[in-house]
């Protein structure tokens, strides 16, 4: 299985909403676990208001299924309440994996 693509999503929480965003991301793990095309899924915290998600995939079909799946749908429902701005979602090419 060659992991050669990913998604990096950076999320900026509204002031005072960082813990709620972190809790939302923790719940997202269960949704990602159900996605057959998602190889790895990480949620992380960079600061009190900056969070992110990094996912990896072996093919474009898996990446596109994730982009249109339950996690972005759920984020769309809470985004206006939790996020200071729209998510910065970037497709990435994975160069090396250990």
């Amino acid at each position: 299985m060659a992991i050669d693509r990913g998604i990096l999503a950076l999320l900026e929480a509204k002031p005072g909403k960082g813990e709620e965003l972190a809790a939302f991301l923790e719940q997202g793990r269960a949704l990602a676990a159900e996605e057959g095309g998602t190889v790895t899924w990480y949620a992380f915290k960079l600061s009190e208001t900056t969070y992110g998600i990094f996912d990896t995939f072996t093919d474009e079909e898996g990446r596109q299924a994730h982009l249109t799946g339950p996690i972005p749908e759920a984020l769309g429902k809470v985004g206006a309440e939790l996020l200071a701005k729209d998510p910065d979602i970037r497709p990435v090419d994975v160069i090396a994996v250990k």
Side-chain angles (χ1 to χ4, degrees), residues 5-7 31-32 34-39 41 55-73:
R5 63 201 74 210
I7 298 170
L31 296 174
E34 294 177 10
E35 295 177 348
T38 302
V39 178
W41 185 89
D55 327 87
T56 62
F57 311 90
T58 59
D59 58 36
E60 191 59 29
E61 183 178 290
R63 179 160 56 184
Q64 291 305 314
H66 178 75
L67 285 169
T68 59
I71 294 173
E73 182 180 326

Side-chain angles (χ1 to χ4, degrees), residues 5-64:
R5 63 201 74 210
I7 298 170
L8 175 64
L10 298 175
L11 310 168
E12 189 68 29
K14 287 183 176 179
K17 296 289 186 174
E19 288 185 23
E20 289 180 57
L21 181 55
F24 170 82
L25 292 173
E26 286 178 26
Q27 294 171 3
R29 182 188 175 281
L31 296 174
E34 294 177 10
E35 295 177 348
T38 302
V39 178
T40 60
W41 185 89
Y42 302 91
F44 57 90
K45 177 180 177 178
L46 295 171
S47 72
E48 293 303 315
T49 58
T50 306
Y51 292 77
I53 300 169
F54 179 70
D55 327 87
T56 62
F57 311 90
T58 59
D59 58 36
E60 191 59 29
E61 183 178 290
R63 179 160 56 184
Q64 291 305 314

Side-chain angles (χ1 to χ4, degrees), residues 71-92:
I71 294 173
E73 182 180 326
L75 185 58
K77 292 178 182 176
V78 300
E81 177 186 341
L82 298 180
L83 300 180
K85 59 183 179 180
D86 288 341
D88 179 5
I89 300 172
R90 302 174 188 195
V92 299

